[in-house]
Amino acid sequence: MDYQTADLADYADSIILTRESRFEDWDALGFQTKAGDQFARAQIRYVGSGATGDHSTDTRTIKSQGFTFSNMLLPAGAEGPEHTHFDAEEAFFVLEGEIEVAVHRGAEIAKRTLGYRDMIVVPAGVPRSLKNVTAQPALFCVIIGAQKPQVPTYPETSVMHGITRD
C-alpha cells in the first residue's frame, strides 16, 4: 500500500500489528527437535520472517524493509542452539521470564542471565545460544538487522551441526 495515494486510515491499519492477530508457530524451528525436545519453541512473527526460512505466505506480517522482528516463546528448560548469523546483528529483549544467553568462541563460553527488559545485541559473525533455565516460559523480542537474513550456520560445536531442515 502506497502511503502517498492510499486512504490514510487504511494505510494506518496496514502498518499496525496486534497481539491478537499473531500466532505461535511451533513449526518454524521444528526441525531442531531432531536434536532433542528441548529445542522446541515458538516463533511469533511481526515484521519479515526472521532467519527461520520462507514465510512469505504469512499475510499477517509486514514485509521487512531493513530488519525482522518477532517474539520467541521459550518453554521452561527450552534451548536455542548455538548458531551464527554472518550477515546481520541479532538482538534479544526480554518481555517475560528469564533467559540465559551465551556467547561462544570455540570451546570458550560466556553466559549471562537476562530478565525483564534486559537486552543483548550480538554482532554479525558472533556465535550465540540461549536457554530458559527457569520453571516458567520466557517471551522475548528477536530483532535481526537485515531485510531477509541468511539462514544461520551451525558450527561444529553446536548440537545442530549437520542437522537438516527437511
Side-chain angles (χ1 to χ4, degrees):
M1 185 171 293
D2 181 54
Y3 165 73
Q4 295 297 332
T5 60
D7 174 79
L8 190 56
D10 290 342
Y11 180 80
D13 289 342
S14 77
I15 58 174
I16 294 173
L17 298 163
T18 63
R19 180 185 61 173
E20 291 77 21
S21 67
R22 305 300 89 206
F23 76 101
E24 297 171 2
D25 184 349
W26 292 90
D27 295 328
L29 294 162
F31 76 96
Q32 292 183 350
T33 60
K34 293 177 188 178
D37 289 340
Q38 72 270 29
F39 297 105
R41 57 202 189 281
Q43 182 189 53
I44 305 158
R45 290 182 291 281
Y46 287 81
V47 178
S49 64
T52 62
D54 182 9
H55 301 287
S56 57
T57 59
D58 185 351
T59 58
R60 290 172 284 209
T61 63
I62 291 177
K63 185 178 189 289
S64 172
Q65 306 251 342
F67 69 95
T68 69
F69 182 95
S70 61
N71 287 168
M72 189 68 65
L73 177 60
L74 201 61
E79 298 180 41
E82 177 188 358
H83 71 272
T84 309
H85 290 281
F86 283 100
D87 65 325
E89 65 186 344
E90 183 175 34
F92 301 119
F93 182 84
V94 180
L95 298 170
E96 297 173 6
E98 292 183 352
I99 59 172
E100 179 184 82
V101 296
V103 177
H104 301 251
R105 184 171 45 214
E108 187 180 3
I109 301 172
K111 296 179 182 180
R112 301 291 185 270
T113 299
L114 302 180
Y116 175 62
R117 293 177 31 182
D118 291 341
M119 183 177 200
I120 183 172
V121 179
V122 182
V126 175
R128 63 92 183 146
S129 63
L130 54 89
K131 183 175 184 176
N132 181 347
V133 294
T134 73
Q136 301 299 318
L139 181 69
F140 54 96
C141 300
V142 179
I143 303 103
I144 303 177
Q147 179 181 22
K148 177 61 183 121
Q150 298 169 356
V151 173
T153 61
Y154 302 97
E156 290 182 11
T157 52
S158 174
V159 67
M160 289 299 144
H161 184 75
I163 291 184
T164 61
R165 291 179 172 264
D166 52 10

